[in-house]
Amino acid sequence: MPATPATRLLLLRHAEVEEQYQRIFGGRIDMNLSARGHEQAAVLARYLRHKPVQAVYASPMKRVQQTLAPYANNGAPPATVMEGLREVDFGDWTGHGWEAIQEKFGYSAYEWLDLLERGQIPNAEPPQLYRARVEACARDIIARHPGEPVAVFCHGGVVRMLLSVLLELPLPKFAHFDVDYASLTEVELHAHRKPEVRLLNFTPWRDLPG
């Protein structure tokens, strides 16, 4: 019997944001891309022409929609916007730079995934709710597209949570992996074996020859 085709999820982080929001906990701030970010998005769109998909899903936030735009204008399937793919709400950390977190809150910003998971970021989105909304999106997408390739345009925090859900690993484990601007992480989901990460944090604007 022929093997059941895998469901392939292309997890795509938005491109670089405007300078005033770089290296801060932006979360629910609805910021724009920088000029460089628009260039990254264009390179990403060109690269994705070689990876045809059956469907596209996206966060409604501006930085994601602006990253999606050149891809959508290049013959991609119409995108379905999912509210559950919004970035996590960082509560009192929102708008603060990485260096300021230690000074104001007494924590290393590099521990953010662990602190978020333990509910120790003041007034942040509760971890159970964050996981539940992202997992609901993942399960819905997988149920709609068995055995098909699907693109998911979202955020760095959401990519990490999707990996946590799909690979059944604790969220803080993904502090060890970069999720760069305009990067692609590809996961294959198989019927009778564990999911496989086929590509991790691939950035066409940086990793392909000019």
Side-chain angles (χ1 to χ4, degrees), residues 113 160 163 169 173-179 200-201:
L113 282 175
R160 288 183 170 92
L163 289 171
L169 293 171
K173 292 285 187 186
F174 295 95
H176 300 288
F177 301 97
D178 284 335
V179 182
L200 182 64
N201 194 40

Side-chain angles (χ1 to χ4, degrees), residues 4 12 21 60 80 99 109 181 184-186 190 192 199:
T4 304
L12 298 139
Y21 295 116
T80 298
E99 294 78 13
Y181 288 131
L184 167 62
T185 293
E186 193 170 321
H190 303 272
H192 302 295
L199 199 61

Side-chain angles (χ1 to χ4, degrees), residues 84 86 88 113 116-117 125-139 157-158 160-174:
R86 287 181 177 271
V88 65
L113 282 175
L116 183 69
E117 183 83 342
E125 184 174 2
Q128 300 89 345
L129 295 181
Y130 179 37
R131 177 174 291 274
R133 69 171 169 87
V134 173
E135 182 167 4
C137 291
R139 300 305 174 202
V158 176
R160 288 183 170 92
M161 181 59 85
L162 284 166
L163 289 171
S164 175
V165 167
L166 297 171
L167 303 180
E168 299 181 352
L169 293 171
L171 181 61
K173 292 285 187 186
F174 295 95

Side-chain angles (χ1 to χ4, degrees), residues 135-165:
E135 182 167 4
C137 291
R139 300 305 174 202
D140 189 14
I141 292 167
I142 293 164
R144 292 188 198 185
H145 303 283
E148 295 179 346
V150 179
V152 182
F153 284 76
C154 55
H155 306 266
V158 176
V159 170
R160 288 183 170 92
M161 181 59 85
L162 284 166
L163 289 171
S164 175
V165 167

Side-chain angles (χ1 to χ4, degrees), residues 2-208:
T4 304
T7 302
R8 187 156 41 91
L9 299 184
L10 281 63
L11 309 181
L12 298 139
R13 187 189 176 192
H14 62 80
E16 182 186 89
V17 297
E18 49 195 319
E19 186 174 359
Q20 70 192 89
Y21 295 116
Q22 294 173 21
R23 287 195 60 78
I24 73 157
F25 285 89
R28 292 299 176 91
I29 299 173
D30 207 11
M31 62 196 75
N32 295 303
L33 296 184
S34 67
R36 184 167 183 253
H38 285 287
E39 293 172 0
Q40 292 171 349
V43 174
L44 180 63
R46 289 196 296 271
Y47 174 76
L48 291 174
R49 284 186 301 189
H50 306 291
K51 286 184 168 287
V53 298
Q54 294 298 312
V56 179
Y57 292 84
S59 160
M61 301 188 82
K62 286 193 295 187
R63 56 195 185 269
V64 171
Q65 291 297 312
Q66 291 171 12
T67 302
L68 171 63
Y71 179 58
N73 293 334
N74 203 20
T80 298
V81 172
M82 282 188 157
E83 288 288 332
L85 293 175
R86 287 181 177 271
E87 182 60 293
V88 65
D89 186 345
F90 287 110
D92 291 1
W93 283 24
T94 301
H96 290 285
W98 284 60
E99 294 78 13
I101 296 301
Q102 179 76 51
E103 182 178 332
K104 185 166 184 178
F105 299 98
Y107 291 115
S108 168
Y110 293 97
E111 299 175 23
W112 72 272
L113 282 175
D114 185 53
L115 295 167
L116 183 69
E117 183 83 342
R118 291 191 278 125
Q120 292 187 325
I121 298 178
N123 297 310
E125 184 174 2
Q128 300 89 345
L129 295 181
Y130 179 37
R131 177 174 291 274
R133 69 171 169 87
V134 173
E135 182 167 4
C137 291
R139 300 305 174 202
D140 189 14
I141 292 167
I142 293 164
R144 292 188 198 185
H145 303 283
E148 295 179 346
V150 179
V152 182
F153 284 76
C154 55
H155 306 266
V158 176
V159 170
R160 288 183 170 92
M161 181 59 85
L162 284 166
L163 289 171
S164 175
V165 167
L166 297 171
L167 303 180
E168 299 181 352
L169 293 171
L171 181 61
K173 292 285 187 186
F174 295 95
H176 300 288
F177 301 97
D178 284 335
V179 182
D180 288 314
Y181 288 131
S183 65
L184 167 62
T185 293
E186 193 170 321
V187 182
E188 281 191 355
L189 307 172
H190 303 272
H192 302 295
R193 65 179 193 267
K194 291 184 179 296
E196 296 178 349
V197 177
R198 306 294 294 182
L199 199 61
L200 182 64
N201 194 40
F202 177 72
T203 50
W205 53 271
R206 182 186 59 204
D207 297 333
L208 291 177

